[in-house]
Amino acid sequence: SGSIKSRGGIYEVLCFAEKIAIENGFDLKKDNYQDLRKDKYRKLFNQWRIEVASTGNLGLSVGLMASTLGFKARIHMSHDATDWKINKLRQNGVEVKIYDDNFSNAVAAARVSSQRDPYSYFIDDEGSKLLFAGYATAGERVKKQLSEMQIEVSKEHPLVVYLPAGVGGSPSGVAFGLKLRFADAVIPIFVEPTHMPSVLLGMASGLNHDISVYDIGIDGKTAADGLAVGRPSMIVGKYMTDKLFGIETVSDSDMFAYQGMLTKLENIVVEPSAAVGLRGLIQSKEISE
Ligand SMILES: *Cc1c(COP(=O)(O)O)cnc(C)c1O
């Protein structure tokens, strides 16, 4: 499903599938987890609907995983969602509702929709600890990859990570996972669009989830759809106070320049949201030179 959301989104769908299977008497110690795709499970899962609000990528991860296992899925998309993501979901039998509104209001609508139906499971991008735990697995994976590449990480050779932030869930989960593995040798920095500095605003003001960029007259206009959320999650401020090194902001025009550079110089194609982190890398290189 092509983004960091896979770690959290796919993980939470699998956790829910596991829970439902066990509650209904299936023995997951006997069956392989790949058996979750078999008919006997699909019939059970099909009674349930998984709902989530998304600017695009979380919906893609959750929707594709849910439909793979036979769940019904309803994705509530804010107006930022790009057409190809919506189309891909619909092609896979996922219901997509589009709101002519910002992300926070799409979340509220999704929550209400899910509460009405006892067979609906809501994945809460603004507060889910399962999403957070899924993102945190990145710590273990990155540690393995770096050691295979024989790259040392220590206080003398710190690992500085630039993490694009929307609600702050995925970057804080990743930062948390990395801190567990590398402790003080990792230096996490969040990166946000200049017109969507939601986590920066929440943490700097101390108001966290109780303030949005719209409250202080920022227009929230950015082409970084993965980061296009005006209000931080309920948990990022709490979990990150003693772990985060800093937050920086990047303009959309710089973001597009980095995206183009990455394609041209490294032949790596990423979506705009994924390119904002390059800013810190380029700046630190300039400083060290
Ligand atoms: C969602 C997303 C982020 C940020 O994750 P949050 O949990 O919203 O902070 C970063 N990059 C991409 C590509 C995304 O889709």
Side-chain angles (χ1 to χ4, degrees), residues 45-92:
F45 296 154
N46 195 250
Q47 298 166 13
W48 287 86
R49 173 176 286 115
I50 296 184
E51 298 195 54
V52 70
S54 171
T55 62
N57 287 336
L58 185 61
L60 207 52
S61 292
V62 168
L64 294 179
M65 194 63 215
S67 69
T68 301
L69 294 179
F71 288 106
K72 287 176 266 194
R74 182 181 290 150
I75 314 297
H76 303 259
M77 291 283 201
S78 61
H79 62 77
D80 310 277
T82 52
D83 286 342
W84 75 265
K85 293 178 187 173
I86 296 168
N87 293 339
K88 185 160 180 188
L89 281 168
R90 288 189 171 146
Q91 278 157 17
N92 281 275

Side-chain angles (χ1 to χ4, degrees), residues 10-28:
I10 292 176
Y11 180 73
E12 184 154 354
V13 173
L14 285 172
C15 284
F16 181 63
E18 179 185 53
K19 178 170 168 276
I20 294 291
I22 291 170
E23 279 175 8
N24 284 275
F26 287 100
D27 186 356
L28 285 173

Side-chain angles (χ1 to χ4, degrees), residues 135-144 146 153 159-163 170-189 240 243:
Y135 293 133
T137 58
E140 202 178 317
R141 304 284 163 84
V142 168
K143 182 162 189 177
K144 185 158 172 276
L146 290 177
V153 179
L159 171 65
V160 185
V161 279
Y162 299 95
L163 299 157
S170 76
S172 58
V174 173
F176 189 88
L178 288 169
K179 281 281 178 191
L180 283 181
R181 306 284 153 186
F182 297 109
D184 291 345
V186 67
I187 301 178
I189 297 170
M240 285 297 108
K243 294 188 178 57

Side-chain angles (χ1 to χ4, degrees), residues 26-133:
F26 287 100
D27 186 356
L28 285 173
K29 290 205 183 81
K30 224 171 65 206
D31 275 355
N32 188 305
Y33 273 74
Q34 285 174 358
D35 293 338
L36 290 177
R37 287 169 67 175
K38 286 190 178 155
D39 269 357
K40 59 177 181 179
Y41 288 105
R42 293 181 72 86
K43 257 191 227 137
L44 172 67
F45 296 154
N46 195 250
Q47 298 166 13
W48 287 86
R49 173 176 286 115
I50 296 184
E51 298 195 54
V52 70
S54 171
T55 62
N57 287 336
L58 185 61
L60 207 52
S61 292
V62 168
L64 294 179
M65 194 63 215
S67 69
T68 301
L69 294 179
F71 288 106
K72 287 176 266 194
R74 182 181 290 150
I75 314 297
H76 303 259
M77 291 283 201
S78 61
H79 62 77
D80 310 277
T82 52
D83 286 342
W84 75 265
K85 293 178 187 173
I86 296 168
N87 293 339
K88 185 160 180 188
L89 281 168
R90 288 189 171 146
Q91 278 157 17
N92 281 275
V94 175
E95 182 189 349
V96 183
K97 291 187 103 171
I98 316 235
Y99 295 82
D100 189 18
D101 208 341
N102 69 49
F103 176 74
S104 304
N105 294 335
V107 178
R111 200 173 272 131
V112 170
S113 162
S114 181
Q115 275 162 359
R116 275 200 207 115
D117 177 0
Y119 277 87
S120 170
Y121 178 78
F122 178 56
I123 293 183
D124 185 359
D125 194 27
E126 292 190 322
S128 165
K129 290 187 181 146
L130 284 176
L131 282 179
F132 187 88

Side-chain angles (χ1 to χ4, degrees), residues 250-272:
V250 171
S251 70
D252 272 30
S253 58
D254 281 352
M255 170 180 80
F256 283 123
Y258 303 145
Q259 187 192 23
M261 277 161 67
L262 199 58
T263 310
K264 201 167 147 213
L265 300 175
E266 300 287 338
N267 206 13
I268 298 173
V269 181
V270 298
E271 63 175 80

